[in-house]
Short mmCIF file of all heavy atoms in Angstrom, two decimals:
data_model
loop_
_atom_site.label_atom_id
_atom_site.label_comp_id
_atom_site.label_asym_id
_atom_site.label_seq_id
_atom_site.Cartn_x
_atom_site.Cartn_y
_atom_site.Cartn_z
N LEU A 1 -13.11 24.09 23.24
CA LEU A 1 -12.34 23.31 22.27
C LEU A 1 -12.02 24.21 21.08
O LEU A 1 -12.23 23.86 19.92
CB LEU A 1 -13.11 22.07 21.82
CG LEU A 1 -12.29 21.01 21.06
CD1 LEU A 1 -11.15 20.50 21.92
CD2 LEU A 1 -13.17 19.87 20.59
N ASP A 2 -11.51 25.40 21.38
CA ASP A 2 -11.15 26.35 20.33
C ASP A 2 -9.69 26.14 19.96
O ASP A 2 -8.78 26.80 20.46
CB ASP A 2 -11.38 27.77 20.82
CG ASP A 2 -11.18 28.80 19.72
OD1 ASP A 2 -10.98 28.39 18.56
OD2 ASP A 2 -11.19 29.99 20.02
N VAL A 3 -9.46 25.15 19.09
CA VAL A 3 -8.11 24.75 18.69
C VAL A 3 -7.81 25.29 17.29
O VAL A 3 -8.61 25.13 16.37
CB VAL A 3 -7.97 23.21 18.70
CG1 VAL A 3 -6.59 22.78 18.21
CG2 VAL A 3 -8.24 22.67 20.10
N ASP A 4 -6.66 25.92 17.15
CA ASP A 4 -6.25 26.47 15.85
C ASP A 4 -5.38 25.50 15.05
O ASP A 4 -5.48 25.43 13.83
CB ASP A 4 -5.47 27.78 16.05
CG ASP A 4 -6.29 28.82 16.78
OD1 ASP A 4 -7.33 29.23 16.22
OD2 ASP A 4 -5.91 29.21 17.89
N ILE A 5 -4.52 24.77 15.76
CA ILE A 5 -3.55 23.90 15.11
C ILE A 5 -3.48 22.57 15.86
O ILE A 5 -3.36 22.54 17.08
CB ILE A 5 -2.14 24.55 15.09
CG1 ILE A 5 -2.16 25.87 14.32
CG2 ILE A 5 -1.11 23.60 14.49
CD1 ILE A 5 -0.95 26.74 14.56
N LEU A 6 -3.56 21.48 15.12
CA LEU A 6 -3.38 20.14 15.68
C LEU A 6 -2.16 19.51 15.02
O LEU A 6 -2.09 19.43 13.79
CB LEU A 6 -4.60 19.26 15.44
CG LEU A 6 -4.43 17.76 15.71
CD1 LEU A 6 -4.13 17.50 17.17
CD2 LEU A 6 -5.69 17.00 15.27
N VAL A 7 -1.19 19.09 15.82
CA VAL A 7 0.00 18.42 15.29
C VAL A 7 -0.01 16.97 15.79
O VAL A 7 0.21 16.71 16.98
CB VAL A 7 1.30 19.12 15.72
CG1 VAL A 7 2.51 18.40 15.09
CG2 VAL A 7 1.29 20.58 15.30
N ASN A 8 -0.27 16.05 14.89
CA ASN A 8 -0.26 14.62 15.19
C ASN A 8 1.18 14.12 15.07
O ASN A 8 1.62 13.72 13.99
CB ASN A 8 -1.18 13.87 14.23
CG ASN A 8 -2.64 14.20 14.45
OD1 ASN A 8 -3.14 14.13 15.57
ND2 ASN A 8 -3.35 14.57 13.39
N ASN A 9 1.89 14.15 16.18
CA ASN A 9 3.32 13.83 16.17
C ASN A 9 3.64 12.51 16.85
O ASN A 9 4.63 11.86 16.50
CB ASN A 9 4.10 14.95 16.87
CG ASN A 9 5.53 14.57 17.15
OD1 ASN A 9 6.34 14.41 16.25
ND2 ASN A 9 5.86 14.40 18.43
N ALA A 10 2.83 12.07 17.81
CA ALA A 10 3.14 10.86 18.58
C ALA A 10 3.36 9.67 17.65
O ALA A 10 2.60 9.47 16.69
CB ALA A 10 2.02 10.56 19.57
N GLY A 11 4.41 8.89 17.93
CA GLY A 11 4.68 7.73 17.09
C GLY A 11 5.59 6.73 17.78
O GLY A 11 6.38 7.09 18.65
N ILE A 12 5.44 5.47 17.41
CA ILE A 12 6.34 4.42 17.89
C ILE A 12 6.78 3.57 16.71
O ILE A 12 6.11 3.54 15.66
CB ILE A 12 5.70 3.54 18.97
CG1 ILE A 12 4.44 2.84 18.42
CG2 ILE A 12 5.38 4.34 20.21
CD1 ILE A 12 3.88 1.82 19.39
N GLU A 13 7.89 2.87 16.89
CA GLU A 13 8.47 2.06 15.81
C GLU A 13 9.03 0.79 16.43
O GLU A 13 9.77 0.84 17.41
CB GLU A 13 9.58 2.86 15.13
CG GLU A 13 10.03 2.33 13.79
CD GLU A 13 10.92 3.34 13.06
OE1 GLU A 13 11.36 4.33 13.68
OE2 GLU A 13 11.16 3.12 11.86
N ILE A 14 8.64 -0.35 15.87
CA ILE A 14 9.13 -1.65 16.35
C ILE A 14 9.71 -2.39 15.14
O ILE A 14 9.02 -2.56 14.13
CB ILE A 14 8.00 -2.48 16.98
CG1 ILE A 14 7.43 -1.75 18.21
CG2 ILE A 14 8.50 -3.86 17.39
CD1 ILE A 14 6.20 -2.41 18.81
N TYR A 15 10.95 -2.84 15.26
CA TYR A 15 11.63 -3.48 14.14
C TYR A 15 11.53 -5.00 14.25
O TYR A 15 11.76 -5.56 15.32
CB TYR A 15 13.11 -3.06 14.11
CG TYR A 15 13.29 -1.58 14.26
CD1 TYR A 15 13.64 -1.02 15.48
CD2 TYR A 15 13.04 -0.73 13.19
CE1 TYR A 15 13.75 0.35 15.63
CE2 TYR A 15 13.16 0.63 13.32
CZ TYR A 15 13.51 1.18 14.55
OH TYR A 15 13.62 2.53 14.69
N SER A 16 11.19 -5.63 13.13
CA SER A 16 11.06 -7.09 13.14
C SER A 16 10.87 -7.59 11.72
O SER A 16 10.36 -6.85 10.85
CB SER A 16 9.85 -7.50 13.98
OG SER A 16 9.65 -8.90 13.96
N ALA A 17 11.30 -8.82 11.47
CA ALA A 17 10.84 -9.50 10.26
C ALA A 17 9.33 -9.62 10.38
O ALA A 17 8.81 -9.88 11.48
CB ALA A 17 11.48 -10.88 10.14
N PHE A 18 8.61 -9.43 9.30
CA PHE A 18 7.16 -9.31 9.39
C PHE A 18 6.51 -10.48 10.12
O PHE A 18 5.65 -10.29 11.00
CB PHE A 18 6.55 -9.18 7.99
CG PHE A 18 5.05 -9.26 8.01
CD1 PHE A 18 4.30 -8.24 8.58
CD2 PHE A 18 4.40 -10.38 7.52
CE1 PHE A 18 2.92 -8.33 8.64
CE2 PHE A 18 3.02 -10.47 7.58
CZ PHE A 18 2.28 -9.44 8.14
N GLN A 19 6.93 -11.71 9.79
CA GLN A 19 6.28 -12.89 10.38
C GLN A 19 6.52 -13.02 11.88
O GLN A 19 5.83 -13.79 12.56
CB GLN A 19 6.75 -14.17 9.66
CG GLN A 19 8.20 -14.56 9.89
CD GLN A 19 9.15 -13.86 8.93
OE1 GLN A 19 8.76 -12.92 8.23
NE2 GLN A 19 10.38 -14.35 8.86
N ASN A 20 7.46 -12.24 12.40
CA ASN A 20 7.76 -12.33 13.83
C ASN A 20 7.04 -11.28 14.68
O ASN A 20 7.17 -11.29 15.91
CB ASN A 20 9.28 -12.20 14.05
CG ASN A 20 10.05 -13.36 13.45
OD1 ASN A 20 9.51 -14.46 13.32
ND2 ASN A 20 11.29 -13.13 13.07
N TYR A 21 6.30 -10.39 14.04
CA TYR A 21 5.51 -9.44 14.81
C TYR A 21 4.40 -10.17 15.56
O TYR A 21 3.81 -11.12 15.04
CB TYR A 21 4.85 -8.40 13.90
CG TYR A 21 5.73 -7.27 13.45
CD1 TYR A 21 6.15 -7.20 12.13
CD2 TYR A 21 6.10 -6.25 14.32
CE1 TYR A 21 6.95 -6.15 11.69
CE2 TYR A 21 6.89 -5.21 13.89
CZ TYR A 21 7.32 -5.16 12.58
OH TYR A 21 8.10 -4.12 12.15
N SER A 22 4.11 -9.71 16.75
CA SER A 22 2.94 -10.21 17.45
C SER A 22 1.75 -9.31 17.10
O SER A 22 1.94 -8.16 16.66
CB SER A 22 3.16 -10.18 18.96
OG SER A 22 3.24 -8.84 19.43
N LEU A 23 0.56 -9.81 17.30
CA LEU A 23 -0.64 -9.00 17.04
C LEU A 23 -0.64 -7.77 17.95
O LEU A 23 -1.02 -6.67 17.53
CB LEU A 23 -1.90 -9.83 17.28
CG LEU A 23 -3.23 -9.11 17.08
CD1 LEU A 23 -3.35 -8.56 15.66
CD2 LEU A 23 -4.39 -10.06 17.40
N LYS A 24 -0.18 -7.93 19.18
CA LYS A 24 -0.13 -6.82 20.13
C LYS A 24 0.80 -5.72 19.62
O LYS A 24 0.48 -4.52 19.71
CB LYS A 24 0.35 -7.31 21.49
CG LYS A 24 0.41 -6.23 22.55
CD LYS A 24 0.87 -6.79 23.90
CE LYS A 24 0.94 -5.69 24.95
NZ LYS A 24 1.39 -6.22 26.26
N GLU A 25 1.96 -6.09 19.08
CA GLU A 25 2.91 -5.11 18.55
C GLU A 25 2.32 -4.37 17.36
O GLU A 25 2.43 -3.15 17.25
CB GLU A 25 4.21 -5.79 18.15
CG GLU A 25 5.05 -6.25 19.33
CD GLU A 25 6.25 -7.06 18.91
OE1 GLU A 25 6.17 -7.80 17.89
OE2 GLU A 25 7.29 -6.98 19.61
N MET A 26 1.69 -5.12 16.45
CA MET A 26 1.09 -4.49 15.27
C MET A 26 -0.02 -3.53 15.67
O MET A 26 -0.12 -2.41 15.14
CB MET A 26 0.56 -5.56 14.30
CG MET A 26 1.65 -6.40 13.67
SD MET A 26 1.07 -7.47 12.33
CE MET A 26 0.01 -8.59 13.22
N HIS A 27 -0.84 -3.95 16.60
CA HIS A 27 -1.94 -3.11 17.06
C HIS A 27 -1.42 -1.85 17.73
O HIS A 27 -1.96 -0.75 17.53
CB HIS A 27 -2.82 -3.90 18.03
CG HIS A 27 -4.07 -3.19 18.43
ND1 HIS A 27 -4.12 -2.34 19.53
CD2 HIS A 27 -5.31 -3.16 17.88
CE1 HIS A 27 -5.33 -1.84 19.63
NE2 HIS A 27 -6.08 -2.31 18.65
N SER A 28 -0.34 -1.97 18.49
CA SER A 28 0.24 -0.83 19.19
C SER A 28 0.74 0.23 18.21
O SER A 28 0.46 1.42 18.36
CB SER A 28 1.38 -1.31 20.09
OG SER A 28 1.98 -0.22 20.75
N VAL A 29 1.48 -0.20 17.20
CA VAL A 29 2.03 0.74 16.21
C VAL A 29 0.91 1.41 15.43
O VAL A 29 0.91 2.64 15.25
CB VAL A 29 3.00 0.01 15.25
CG1 VAL A 29 3.43 0.95 14.11
CG2 VAL A 29 4.22 -0.49 16.00
N MET A 30 -0.06 0.63 14.99
CA MET A 30 -1.16 1.19 14.22
C MET A 30 -2.02 2.14 15.07
O MET A 30 -2.48 3.19 14.58
CB MET A 30 -2.04 0.07 13.65
CG MET A 30 -1.42 -0.65 12.49
SD MET A 30 -1.24 0.47 11.06
CE MET A 30 -0.70 -0.68 9.80
N SER A 31 -2.21 1.80 16.33
CA SER A 31 -3.03 2.64 17.20
C SER A 31 -2.40 4.01 17.42
O SER A 31 -3.06 5.04 17.30
CB SER A 31 -3.25 1.94 18.56
OG SER A 31 -4.03 0.79 18.40
N VAL A 32 -1.12 4.02 17.76
CA VAL A 32 -0.44 5.28 18.06
C VAL A 32 -0.21 6.10 16.80
O VAL A 32 -0.49 7.30 16.75
CB VAL A 32 0.90 5.03 18.78
CG1 VAL A 32 1.67 6.33 18.96
CG2 VAL A 32 0.65 4.38 20.14
N ASN A 33 0.33 5.46 15.76
CA ASN A 33 0.78 6.19 14.58
C ASN A 33 -0.35 6.61 13.65
O ASN A 33 -0.24 7.62 12.95
CB ASN A 33 1.77 5.36 13.78
CG ASN A 33 3.05 5.07 14.54
OD1 ASN A 33 3.20 5.46 15.69
ND2 ASN A 33 3.98 4.39 13.91
N LEU A 34 -1.42 5.83 13.63
CA LEU A 34 -2.47 6.09 12.64
C LEU A 34 -3.83 6.38 13.28
O LEU A 34 -4.39 7.47 13.11
CB LEU A 34 -2.59 4.90 11.69
CG LEU A 34 -3.67 4.99 10.60
CD1 LEU A 34 -3.46 6.21 9.72
CD2 LEU A 34 -3.70 3.71 9.77
N MET A 35 -4.36 5.43 14.04
CA MET A 35 -5.73 5.58 14.53
C MET A 35 -5.89 6.72 15.53
O MET A 35 -6.92 7.40 15.53
CB MET A 35 -6.21 4.26 15.15
CG MET A 35 -6.41 3.14 14.13
SD MET A 35 -7.46 3.65 12.73
CE MET A 35 -8.98 4.10 13.56
N ALA A 36 -4.88 6.94 16.38
CA ALA A 36 -4.98 8.05 17.34
C ALA A 36 -5.04 9.39 16.61
O ALA A 36 -5.80 10.28 16.99
CB ALA A 36 -3.80 8.02 18.31
N ALA A 37 -4.22 9.53 15.56
CA ALA A 37 -4.22 10.78 14.78
C ALA A 37 -5.56 10.99 14.09
O ALA A 37 -6.12 12.10 14.09
CB ALA A 37 -3.10 10.73 13.74
N ILE A 38 -6.11 9.92 13.54
CA ILE A 38 -7.40 10.01 12.85
C ILE A 38 -8.52 10.37 13.84
O ILE A 38 -9.35 11.24 13.58
CB ILE A 38 -7.72 8.69 12.13
CG1 ILE A 38 -6.76 8.50 10.93
CG2 ILE A 38 -9.17 8.65 11.66
CD1 ILE A 38 -6.92 7.17 10.22
N GLU A 39 -8.54 9.68 14.99
CA GLU A 39 -9.61 9.91 15.96
C GLU A 39 -9.52 11.31 16.57
O GLU A 39 -10.54 11.99 16.73
CB GLU A 39 -9.56 8.84 17.05
CG GLU A 39 -10.56 9.02 18.18
CD GLU A 39 -12.02 8.91 17.77
OE1 GLU A 39 -12.33 8.82 16.55
OE2 GLU A 39 -12.88 8.92 18.66
N LEU A 40 -8.32 11.74 16.91
CA LEU A 40 -8.16 13.07 17.50
C LEU A 40 -8.59 14.14 16.50
O LEU A 40 -9.28 15.11 16.86
CB LEU A 40 -6.70 13.28 17.92
CG LEU A 40 -6.39 14.50 18.79
CD1 LEU A 40 -7.28 14.56 20.01
CD2 LEU A 40 -4.92 14.47 19.20
N THR A 41 -8.23 13.95 15.25
CA THR A 41 -8.65 14.89 14.20
C THR A 41 -10.16 14.88 14.03
O THR A 41 -10.79 15.94 13.88
CB THR A 41 -7.96 14.54 12.87
OG1 THR A 41 -6.55 14.57 13.04
CG2 THR A 41 -8.36 15.53 11.78
N ARG A 42 -10.76 13.69 14.05
CA ARG A 42 -12.22 13.58 13.88
C ARG A 42 -12.96 14.36 14.95
O ARG A 42 -13.99 14.99 14.68
CB ARG A 42 -12.63 12.10 13.93
CG ARG A 42 -14.11 11.86 13.65
CD ARG A 42 -14.47 10.39 13.76
NE ARG A 42 -14.46 9.93 15.14
CZ ARG A 42 -15.49 10.03 15.98
NH1 ARG A 42 -16.63 10.60 15.57
NH2 ARG A 42 -15.42 9.58 17.21
N LEU A 43 -12.42 14.36 16.16
CA LEU A 43 -13.08 15.03 17.27
C LEU A 43 -12.83 16.53 17.30
O LEU A 43 -13.65 17.30 17.81
CB LEU A 43 -12.64 14.40 18.59
CG LEU A 43 -13.04 12.93 18.78
CD1 LEU A 43 -12.38 12.35 20.03
CD2 LEU A 43 -14.56 12.79 18.85
N ILE A 44 -11.70 16.96 16.75
CA ILE A 44 -11.35 18.39 16.78
C ILE A 44 -11.82 19.12 15.51
O ILE A 44 -12.14 20.30 15.55
CB ILE A 44 -9.83 18.55 16.96
CG1 ILE A 44 -9.44 18.15 18.39
CG2 ILE A 44 -9.36 19.97 16.66
CD1 ILE A 44 -7.95 18.13 18.65
N LEU A 45 -11.92 18.41 14.40
CA LEU A 45 -12.25 19.04 13.13
C LEU A 45 -13.58 19.81 13.12
O LEU A 45 -13.64 20.90 12.54
CB LEU A 45 -12.25 17.98 12.02
CG LEU A 45 -12.56 18.47 10.60
CD1 LEU A 45 -11.57 19.54 10.16
CD2 LEU A 45 -12.56 17.29 9.62
N PRO A 46 -14.66 19.31 13.75
CA PRO A 46 -15.93 20.04 13.66
C PRO A 46 -15.84 21.50 14.12
O PRO A 46 -16.43 22.38 13.50
CB PRO A 46 -16.87 19.22 14.56
CG PRO A 46 -16.34 17.82 14.44
CD PRO A 46 -14.85 17.98 14.39
N GLN A 47 -15.09 21.76 15.21
CA GLN A 47 -15.00 23.16 15.66
C GLN A 47 -14.14 23.99 14.72
O GLN A 47 -14.35 25.19 14.59
CB GLN A 47 -14.51 23.23 17.11
CG GLN A 47 -13.12 22.70 17.38
CD GLN A 47 -12.02 23.72 17.15
OE1 GLN A 47 -12.22 24.92 17.28
NE2 GLN A 47 -10.85 23.23 16.78
N MET A 48 -13.18 23.37 14.03
CA MET A 48 -12.40 24.09 13.02
C MET A 48 -13.31 24.46 11.85
O MET A 48 -13.24 25.58 11.32
CB MET A 48 -11.23 23.24 12.53
CG MET A 48 -10.09 23.07 13.51
SD MET A 48 -8.70 22.16 12.77
CE MET A 48 -7.45 22.34 14.06
#
């Protein structure tokens, strides 16, 4: 796990009036755009 550079690029976007979002849609956007980047960084950072 000798990684020099991590680029958190993956992302999705869903357009909607806020009250019309489903919980599944909100969870999907947050998981890909935010939590995946945080978790991947958390796991790679120690070796850096």
Side-chain angles (χ1 to χ4, degrees):
L1 194 60
D2 187 7
V3 177
D4 301 297
I5 299 165
L6 168 63
V7 182
N8 292 309
N9 168 68
I12 60 172
E13 195 168 12
I14 298 173
Y15 313 100
S16 177
F18 171 69
Q19 68 275 12
N20 295 333
Y21 280 109
S22 67
L23 179 59
K24 181 179 179 180
E25 288 173 327
M26 293 190 294
H27 187 271
S28 179
V29 173
M30 285 295 187
S31 293
V32 174
N33 296 2
L34 179 58
M35 291 309 300
I38 291 176
E39 176 65 353
L40 192 52
T41 302
R42 185 182 72 86
L43 296 172
I44 289 174
L45 181 58
Q47 63 85 29
M48 287 185 172

